[in-house]
Amino acid sequence: VEHLRLDILRAVRSVCTRWLADQADDLTQIAISRILDRLRSTEGAFELSPGYLYRTAYSVVIDEIRRRRRLQEISLEAGVPIQSDERTPERQAFSREVHDAIRKCLARLAAPRRRAVTLHLMGHSVDEISAVLECRYKQAENLVYRGLSDLRACLEKRGVKR
């Protein structure tokens, strides 16, 4: 298993982008679990070729990039300006008011819409939401769309605007 881990780590590092390099060990673990799942499902009746290890590492890295884009994570590279993280009392009070308004507005949504919007705000795709809520894709899409519309309307009534 250690030999397999080293081979996969090399494969992950060869396809990993610079801004994901610090996640190589985590991505290696994901790749190992995929390979072990494949071995279990085929009862060991398939060959672990170097090409298969590389393709698995590549797909794990691509999945992580897609996940981060979906969550809209942005890496901080040199030369990229960042916002001031200054914690003024006014800013803290405003953040608290917005947070409370969002919580109250979410609580007023119908339960299915509230669950769908909460999952959406957590970064889940509509496919994932439909799986979690055990409903059709179109129904999940409508719950998110209508729930966000209700949330925006409620926030505007409370004086919170974009």
Side-chain angles (χ1 to χ4, degrees), residues 41-55:
S41 69
T42 62
E43 298 175 0
F46 94 105
E47 181 183 339
L48 284 176
S49 67
Y52 181 77
L53 296 179
Y54 178 83
R55 284 190 309 273

Side-chain angles (χ1 to χ4, degrees), residues 124-152:
H124 293 279
S125 68
V126 176
D127 280 329
E128 294 168 334
I129 293 169
S130 69
V132 169
L133 299 180
E134 297 176 344
C135 64
R136 294 182 326 277
Y137 177 89
K138 189 62 178 173
Q139 185 179 4
E141 187 178 48
N142 286 336
L143 288 170
V144 170
Y145 178 79
R146 292 176 181 153
L148 287 174
S149 179
D150 293 346
L151 180 62
R152 271 189 228 100

Side-chain angles (χ1 to χ4, degrees), residues 25-144:
D25 289 331
D26 295 335
L27 297 173
T28 300
Q29 290 299 321
I30 294 169
I32 288 172
S33 73
R34 285 187 186 180
I35 291 170
L36 291 176
D37 287 344
R38 177 76 188 262
L39 283 171
R40 275 187 223 108
S41 69
T42 62
E43 298 175 0
F46 94 105
E47 181 183 339
L48 284 176
S49 67
Y52 181 77
L53 296 179
Y54 178 83
R55 284 190 309 273
T56 303
Y58 181 80
S59 70
V60 166
V61 171
I62 293 299
D63 289 347
E64 180 64 15
I65 291 169
R66 287 179 181 148
R67 185 188 72 79
R68 287 183 182 218
R69 281 188 184 153
R70 192 172 52 247
L71 297 176
Q72 297 177 346
E73 292 181 7
I74 300 171
S75 66
L76 296 177
E77 296 180 21
V80 177
I82 58 173
Q83 285 185 329
S84 170
D85 199 23
E86 190 176 321
R87 294 263 186 218
T88 63
E90 295 86 14
R91 191 174 205 170
Q92 288 177 339
F94 177 74
S95 294
R96 210 172 11 259
E97 288 173 11
V98 170
H99 180 265
D100 291 342
I102 291 172
R103 285 185 55 205
K104 288 176 182 172
C105 288
L106 278 173
R108 294 179 140 218
L109 294 178
R113 288 183 185 182
R114 180 176 54 249
R115 286 190 295 267
V117 168
T118 301
L119 290 168
H120 174 76
L121 293 175
M122 290 171 63
H124 293 279
S125 68
V126 176
D127 280 329
E128 294 168 334
I129 293 169
S130 69
V132 169
L133 299 180
E134 297 176 344
C135 64
R136 294 182 326 277
Y137 177 89
K138 189 62 178 173
Q139 185 179 4
E141 187 178 48
N142 286 336
L143 288 170
V144 170

